[in-house]
Amino acid sequence: MKKYILFDHDGVLVETEQWYYLANKRALASLGIDLPQDAYLANMADGVSAWDVARVSGVSESEIERGRELRDRYYQEYLMTKDIEIEGVLETLDVLAGEYRMGIITTSKPPDFALIHEGRSILNHMEFYLTRDDYERAKPHPEPYLRGLRCFGATAAETVVIEDSARGLKSAIAAGIDCIVVANEFTASHDLSQATAKVASFRELPSAIKGLDSPPKAL
């Protein structure tokens, strides 16, 4: 029976994926490099940095560092000015909190994560969160979700991961944890066929998680 939920963050609890892409695109453009969305999504699925494109193009590490600083500024501007709410998140977390212990596993950097949650109450439902500084190897490596299990003192069988991207799904699978994918238009091109279950909206999660504990119907 499921007792614990590990949530991905960007694209699941807040709608930030597209803004992070646009921040990268703008910063790379300042270095004369184009970053088409399909290329970004393909790299994202495998956990490949957008800045590897710059390296291959011969951009120096010092220029890359300046470009990343510019990216971070653009991204934080978006976080402060754009609507990043996902409909149904807070009321659904209220429902889930009555039955499950919950935490967040994110690749967000601490300053971005802190900015996102200024004035928001999502973290009130969470026992802990792990940001990019809290583990060595990022998704799709299993380390982030394995650390999440240790934070709970939980087994993989007792836990479900909620994701929206192929990178996160691969991480959950490698950690041996069931994974429900919430549909997100930005990552719709990703191969999510190995998900344990898929839902069209965040509001469908309570019934989907219950379904993981239901015995299969007899033929």
Side-chain angles (χ1 to χ4, degrees), residues 19-101:
W19 304 117
Y20 193 67
Y21 159 65
L22 288 174
N24 277 282
K25 182 178 176 66
R26 285 177 64 190
L28 282 164
S30 73
L31 301 175
I33 297 171
D34 185 34
L35 182 62
Q37 184 169 312
D38 57 351
Y40 176 84
L41 285 166
N43 286 337
M44 176 187 177
D46 294 323
V48 176
S49 169
W51 295 87
D52 287 341
V53 177
R55 291 189 178 90
V56 170
S57 300
V59 177
S60 70
E61 288 301 321
S62 61
E63 289 178 298
I64 287 174
E65 182 60 29
R66 286 195 296 272
R68 281 179 155 161
E69 290 173 358
L70 185 60
R71 183 270 317 277
D72 291 345
R73 289 201 298 274
Y74 287 149
Y75 184 47
Q76 294 198 359
E77 287 173 9
Y78 288 140
L79 293 178
M80 291 186 288
T81 59
K82 302 299 182 180
D83 180 9
I84 62 171
E85 309 301 330
I86 294 178
E87 188 176 352
V89 166
L90 289 178
E91 52 263 48
T92 304
L93 289 177
D94 283 337
V95 172
L96 293 171
E99 298 191 54
Y100 305 97
R101 295 169 60 186

